[in-house]
Every structure is written in structure tokens, then in C-alpha cells.
Amino acid sequence: MQTYYSDLLVIGAGLSGERVACEAAQNGFKATCLSIVPARRSHSSAAQGGMQAALGNSAKGEGDTPDIHFIDTVKGSDWGCDQEVARLFADAAPIEMRRLAAWGVPWNRVVPGQSFYFKGGEKFEKYEKEENEGLITARSFGGTAKWRTCYTSDGTGHAVMCTMDNRCAQLGIDVFDKKEAISLIHDGDKCMGAVVRDLRNGELEVHLAKATAICTGGFGRIYKATTNAVICDGGGHILAHETGLVPIGNPESIQFHPTGIVPTDILVTEGCRGDGGTLLDVNEERFMHIYEPEKAELASRDVVSRRMTEHMRAGKGVKSPYGEHLWLDIRHLGDKHISTKLREVDEICHHFLGIDPRTQLIPVRPTQHYTMAGIRTDKDGAVYGLKGLYSAGEAACWDMHGFNRLGGNSLAETVVAGGIIGAKIVEFLKGYETTFDTRVINAEIKRQQERIHDVIHGRNGKLNVYDVRNEMQEALMKGCFVFRNKDGLEECVATLQGTIEKARKVGLVSDGVGCNHELAAALKIEGQVRLAMCIAQAALVRTESRGSHNREDFPARNDKEWLNRTLAYWPMGADMPDLKYEDTTPLFELPPGDRGYGGGKIIPADEKYVKDRTVKSPVTEIGKKK
Amino acid sequence: MGRQIKFEIFRYNPERKGDVPHMQEYILDEHPNMTLFIALNRLREEQDPSLIFDFCCRAGICGACAMVINGRPGLACQTKTKDLPGHIILHPLPVFKLVGDLSVDTGVWFREMYAKTESWVHTKKVFDPAKEEERMDNSVAEQIYELERCIECGCCISACGTARLRDDFMGAAALNRIARFVVDPRDERTDEQYFEVIGNDNGIFGCMGLLACEDVCPKGLPLQNQLGFLRRKMGITAMKQIFRKK
């Protein structure tokens, strides 16, 4: 068996993984990245819209500062985020965008003079200043006070991914593709690396490292309807969670994107609405401004998704063979805008719907999109429970998103968090030596070999992995989607209790030889059902509505009882998650208040609790003015 | 009720002892809006879990699912079955190493290409986090992005006559990559330096001009224009070098 050694093993080679690896390599450490697919195919590359950073170069971004970005992020999170982390993020984002420009990202730039833009279907004009010509420009996105989203046409993720991967090549980082980590090697105290399955030939290998970082993105694929790539299946979360030592932070906070196309759930970017696209109902009339007079289509994703669902429930949805949907209208933006700034959208409409968005409406509905839930880390990116284990990007609950993420903040998080956490890993590596215990390593290899052998030979049972997966996906769609309530969640948990039993009795139909997908699916199905169960159980227990977590039976945001973060542990051999809670944030720069959109009552937190934790900050003043 | 589609799929798993390359048939009911992504996943989940193929984004933006569809390289995810006849024949991309069935190893090929073309911005400037970003004309930024839209699916390489004949031909994807850095003002490489990499039969002068690369590119990249652009530029560079030697 091949054994590889490095200072830092990064599992996942998307934007956050490669950014973390770059930081280590730049500081003289040997970094290795593993990826299921070639790095540039990572789901990061699918992000169309952009990255938020308060550069304030564009006319509509004038006067923007990290303070305002911070406020938007905290409000967007519905006060569910860690404010120390949101602060680190907002301050570092502009520097990181400039760094990416230096590394090669072709950001769109300020073009001086008059230009037009749309808001809520109406045309407005703006003037870009002569003196800002050639600086990084920005576009509008949901939930933000200023235009702050840096972009490259509508292929931001792709362009940044290319640059980051180039940087890895330049730094000589080993990026191995078609490799899937199937378990962590640890002694209950520290992490030593991972057992990895080569997806070319099915063989196992061992990757040892002083530090390991899990940067594997989200786990949307445990839902049936998701915008996520097929590789976003929770593999990285399962590695950490199944140790029994590492909690999943806020599993109940799952984001639904307002504009997944029907029926394939492919995402069309929020840039459509940012650039002036409107949502229409069955009568082809706008409705978002009725619910949200101020922000209309530009309210945050959780609000738009909820309003859309409400509107469809009110009988205003469009009936189709695939269920009800609404329309996204970008016809008025014109050919030039659609064929340049929204070209990916144009292509998606053409290839997957066979329609022309210049003249036709796009069928859309809310679809699972982002997991604010993730491997819980501290503000340095260090994972709770195991020394030497880190996580960054969507895989992590670093927690700058809280209960709802703003558009443009996740793509920015990948590189900003990657940089910050990468630097913390470098600090760790500089002061850390370790020994690798061959007994622990060999025991783990043996465990994995037996697990694979048992699944291939049907030793535990002969249930079909794809049937079990379907049952899990449907349970979540039914009981744990945009709106949640006690009965639905209880039923979901009960169903999943049966599903987890079945997941343990999966056996292969095929022979499992070589690059076998059925085996890969079988090895992670139990872990996936565990994640699903954490979502449902945490959602059932959290008797309030906050951000993307909407309880119909508890519509108020209850700061009095629920200003906290769920930590879902799964003790070895247990059948249910063990839920613990911690304070949402150690301090408030921005004390809990109203978001200014979305409606809903707030049950205030204990005054003394908030006062004791509130620190003096420039944002308290800006926050009051707003 | 839709059609019944007959799939004929190339099968070979190099890891299975005694396996030989062969074609295998499957029958599937067609549904409205069915793409090859939906069809192949249904085949694997309902009929034959041993089937090997790649998908990732399933939305035409990552390039993972390129294969030869009825004789023509293309992305399976954005191919609708209703645009094809009722008999669909699927092969893996040629040129790339076969992983199994319809899956090929594009990752290693492209990684070697990055190394050959030194696919990064070459500059002596050191990033200063305290300074404002360097300015760039928006039209230049858009021009760079135009060339950076390549998704590395490998279609252009497997449709290329020269690449099929010669392992060492760089192909349209690599030449397009060089073009991306040539137009980027941040890259300080000179034409002479680019000439070292592509000014030969493995590079710009090996192209037979069959135009298939551009025909099959799922992103519609202007690959032939770039080839022409680079060939003129490199031709001039070659002439200059000859005169300089005298």
C-alpha cells in the first residue's frame, strides 16, 4: 500500500482547499490536495455571481466599508453568526480580492461615464467616476446595502478557480485528482491524515500529515432537489462526524435558493435579480414588492424563497407536470446584457430548457442550495474535538453565515477564509511536531478493508444503496424544506430512523471492481443518513424561525431562548444525534435587532446578556442610523 | 408515452481480470426533458450499477462529462435525448487514458499541460496588501475572460486530427491557454519566451487546420482565431530571430 506524507493534507481542491494549500506552500510547507474530480471541476467553478468585498470603487458602491459589509452579513445571518468571524471576513475581503487580481483573476473593471441599470424592472442611470477607471467594479446582489459583488462576467467562480489552480501549479503543490478520502486516521486526540480510495483503480492508500484540512464544500446532494454538483454529497463531513468527536454546527440551517430552474434544479444566478430581473406569478404579475416593499426581489434568499412558497400556496403558482413554479423575467435586460453579463444563464436556458430568455420566461422555484451547516470550527478554522484537523469554506461552520447566507458571501468566504485559516495552519505547523502511530494507522486501514469487503460481498445485507438514498432524500424534501413544522419534522425523524437501519444493510449489486460508483455510494450512505437525521432533529428541537430555518408553528425569532448554535455530535454506536448548544457569538458589535426585511416577530434576548457582551465599535453608530 | 431508446455503450473495466472491450445494449423509456445525465444515471441506478462514467456539475459548466455521442465529442449533461435518434451510441473520448467504460483521465493530461505552458501569470511584481489594485481596462479584462472560459472537457483534443496522430501535440486547449496569457498585460513573458514553448510542431505549427476543435467546443470558444493569432505572432517572432542571428 502506498503511503504519502506531507505537512498539510487538504481534502478537497476547490477554492478554499487550494487557497489553504497555497498559504502553506508559500510558507515553505509541503501541501497536498486530494480531489474527487480534477480541481477545476470543483463546485466552486459553478458559482456565477461574484464575491462580496467592500472596495467601494463603483458608483453604487460609493462610501462602502468593511463595517457596512459586516452589518449586512450579521443582519443577513439573522444574528446567527459569530460576529468575531464576520469581522475577520469583512476586513480581509478587499485585500483578498486585490490579491486575486495580482494572481491573475480578470475582474470586471470600472468603465467611467453614464450607464444604465435595472431595479425591479425599472430603468435607472448612473455615472461612474473618471478617477475610478480600471479599478475592480461591483454589481448588486440580494440583501446588501451597497453594490459590493466583484465579478468576472457571470463566470466568477470559474475564473477564480482557474487562477487559484494556476497558483497551485506555480507553487508546486501536489493536487491529486480522482482520490476520495474514506476515513480519518486519528487516535482520539489528534488527526494524522486519511485513508484514501483511488478512483482510477479502486485501491486504498494512506496520506499522513501533521495537519489535515477538510474543504469539501456542501452536502446538498442529501436533498433530492438541489443546485449542487453531484460531488457535493457530504463525504468530508462524514469523515469528521463519524469519529464521534466532531460536531456538525447548526445542521438545521440549510439554504434554499429562489431560482433553481424546473425541472433540473440547475441554478440561475442571483445576478439575474441583482441586474434587474423580476419574479412573476401565474398571471405574469410581479409580487415580491407586495410582501417586501423596500427590497422586493433583492431581499435575502431565505426571504425570497419563503415569499415565493407563500405566493404559490396562495394559488398563484404556475402548474406544470413537475409541480408548481413561478417565472423569472429577464427579457427587459436586452440582448447585449444577456449575451455578455448573463451568458451562462442564456446557455442554461438554451441547453436545459430549450428557451430564449430574451423573449421567454424562465420557470423557477426554491431549491436546496447552500449548507450553512458544517464541521464546527473555532475562528482559526480548527475543528472542535481533534487536534491538527481544520476545515474551511462551505464544508465548515466557521460561522460567518449564521442562519442565512448572503449571495456573494460564500464565494468570497472560500478565498478569504482560506487565506485566514491557511495562515493559522502555518502558525500551527511552525510550532508542532508529531509522531505517527503505525498501530493506529494499520488498524484504520484494516477497518476500511473489512468495511469494503463486507459491502461488496453483502455481509450486512443486500439492500440497494440507491433505494436507501432515495428514501432519505424524499424524507428531507417532505418534512425539512423551506417551511417546517412539528408534525412534518417528527415524521421525517421517524422515517430516517428506519432509513438508517437500512443504510447499515446495504450490499452491492455489481462486483465493486475498479472505479466503481456503487461502492463509493455505499461507503457513505450511513453517514449521509446521519447528516439528514441531524438536520431534522435539530430543526425539530429549535422552536423558532431564524433565517432559513422557518417553523410555521413558531414564526417568531426567539432571541430569548435560541440565540445559540446547535452542535450535533454522533457518539460511536448511537442511533440519534446528541444535541448540544453554545453561544452564537462571544461578543456583539451589532446587538440583535430587526433585519429590515422578512417581517416576523422577534422575542428579544435578555437585556443584561446582550449588554454584557456588546463591545464598542464603529458599527454600533452606523447600525443605529440605518 | 415517450419513445424507447436503445443505448449502445462502450464497456471495458481495465481493473477487472479478463475483461475485454465490447459494446453493451440497454433500453430506457424516454421522459420529457431527458438529458444524457438523467439517462445514464437511471441506467446505473436501475439497471447496471457497474457502469462507469463521470458527471460533476451536470449543468454544462465543469466539463466532466465529455464523451463521444453518436460519433461526436460533446457534453453529456447538456445533450437532450430528444435531439438524438432513438439509437444512441456512447464511447469514451479518445486520446485520453481510459479509466473505465465512458470515463477518461483528463485530469493528468491537463495538469501536464499547465506545467508545459507554465500556466500562471509571470511577473516580478510582489503583491502589496496595503496598496490599491493595479488598474486594468475593462475591455482587456473581458478579453482575458473570453479565453479563460475553457472548461477543460477535452472535446477539442479528442476531435483533433493531429492529437490523434501524435501524443506530443499540445492541442487547441493548450494554445488557447497560452493566448490567454499573451493578452494579459500582467504577464511579463516576451514573445520569444512564448516561442520557446509553442513555436514548434508540437505547438502552433503542428495544427493541420481541420477546425474540428472549434466545431465541437461546447463553450463556443474562438479556438481557430486564437490559433491564427498565435501563428502570426510566432511566425513574426521566428522571422525576427532569424534576422537577429545574422
Side-chain angles (χ1 to χ4, degrees), chain A residues 40-41 57 98 101 104-105 109 131 133 136 158 166 177 200 226 230 322 343-344 351 469 511, chain B residues 16 32 45 56 58 62 80 105-106 114 119 133-135 138 146 148-149 151-152 180 186:
Chain A
R40 289 179 196 216
R41 309 222 193 286
N57 295 331
R98 294 186 176 122
V105 173
R109 304 294 180 132
E131 70 242 41
E133 179 171 12
I136 299 170
H158 175 81
N166 285 341
D177 67 349
R200 287 182 177 80
T226 173
V230 298
Y322 302 98
R343 180 165 46 192
E344 296 285 348
H351 290 305
R469 196 185 62 191
D511 59 9
Chain B
R16 185 178 295 124
E45 290 173 21
C56 181
R58 61 77 180 89
C62 84
K80 295 189 280 291
D105 193 343
T106 50
Y114 310 162
S119 166
E133 65 268 26
E134 244 182 78
R135 291 173 193 245
N138 191 53
E146 266 313 297
E148 201 155 86
R149 291 173 59 241
I151 53 172
E152 304 188 355
R180 179 246 175 271
R186 290 167 294 198

Side-chain angles (χ1 to χ4, degrees), chain A residues 101-117:
Chain A
W103 285 358
V105 173
W107 293 119
N108 278 62
R109 304 294 180 132
V110 175
V111 179
Q114 184 197 37
S115 55
F116 297 96
Y117 67 97

Side-chain angles (χ1 to χ4, degrees), chain A residues 465-484:
Chain A
V465 62
Y466 299 117
D467 292 341
V468 178
R469 196 185 62 191
N470 275 338
E471 188 174 294
M472 164 190 75
Q473 289 173 332
E474 264 149 30
L476 286 178
M477 294 299 287
K478 200 169 161 213
C480 214
F481 210 59
V482 174
F483 283 105
R484 299 156 180 196

Side-chain angles (χ1 to χ4, degrees), chain B residues 101-230:
Chain B
D101 299 346
L102 299 174
S103 170
V104 295
D105 193 343
T106 50
V108 166
W109 193 96
F110 276 93
R111 203 112 210 130
E112 282 170 4
M113 185 270 271
Y114 310 162
K116 251 186 269 179
T117 57
E118 299 195 2
S119 166
W120 54 84
V121 170
H122 287 55
T123 177
K124 292 199 180 66
K125 289 182 188 139
V126 180
F127 174 70
D128 179 355
K131 270 176 51 186
E132 186 180 272
E133 65 268 26
E134 244 182 78
R135 291 173 193 245
M136 181 185 275
D137 200 72
N138 191 53
S139 60
V140 176
E142 283 178 352
Q143 212 186 333
I144 298 168
Y145 175 67
E146 266 313 297
L147 302 176
E148 201 155 86
R149 291 173 59 241
C150 170
I151 53 172
E152 304 188 355
C153 59
C155 286
C156 62
I157 306 299
S158 50
C160 171
T162 312
R164 296 280 285 270
L165 294 171
R166 295 217 326 252
D167 287 345
D168 52 2
F169 182 59
M170 297 170 94
L175 295 168
N176 178 70
R177 177 65 54 82
I178 287 282
R180 179 246 175 271
F181 289 102
V182 170
V183 301
D184 193 330
R186 290 167 294 198
D187 197 308
E188 292 162 359
R189 275 179 280 185
T190 60
D191 287 350
E192 286 72 22
Q193 283 171 300
Y194 288 122
F195 190 83
E196 287 293 311
V197 184
I198 58 166
N200 51 40
D201 265 4
N202 300 340
I204 201 71
F205 301 119
C207 167
M208 300 191 284
L210 298 175
L211 309 178
C213 52
E214 187 160 329
D215 282 353
V216 299
C217 175
K219 302 309 275 187
L221 290 174
L223 297 171
Q224 281 303 318
N225 277 348
Q226 293 317 310
L227 271 162
F229 161 71
L230 285 179

Side-chain angles (χ1 to χ4, degrees), chain A residues 181-203:
Chain A
I182 59 169
S183 80
L184 291 180
I185 301 169
H186 70 94
D187 59 6
D189 172 43
K190 64 173 194 271
C191 181
M192 299 174 220
V195 178
V196 174
R197 182 168 165 253
D198 184 311
L199 299 182
R200 287 182 177 80
N201 54 27
E203 279 170 19

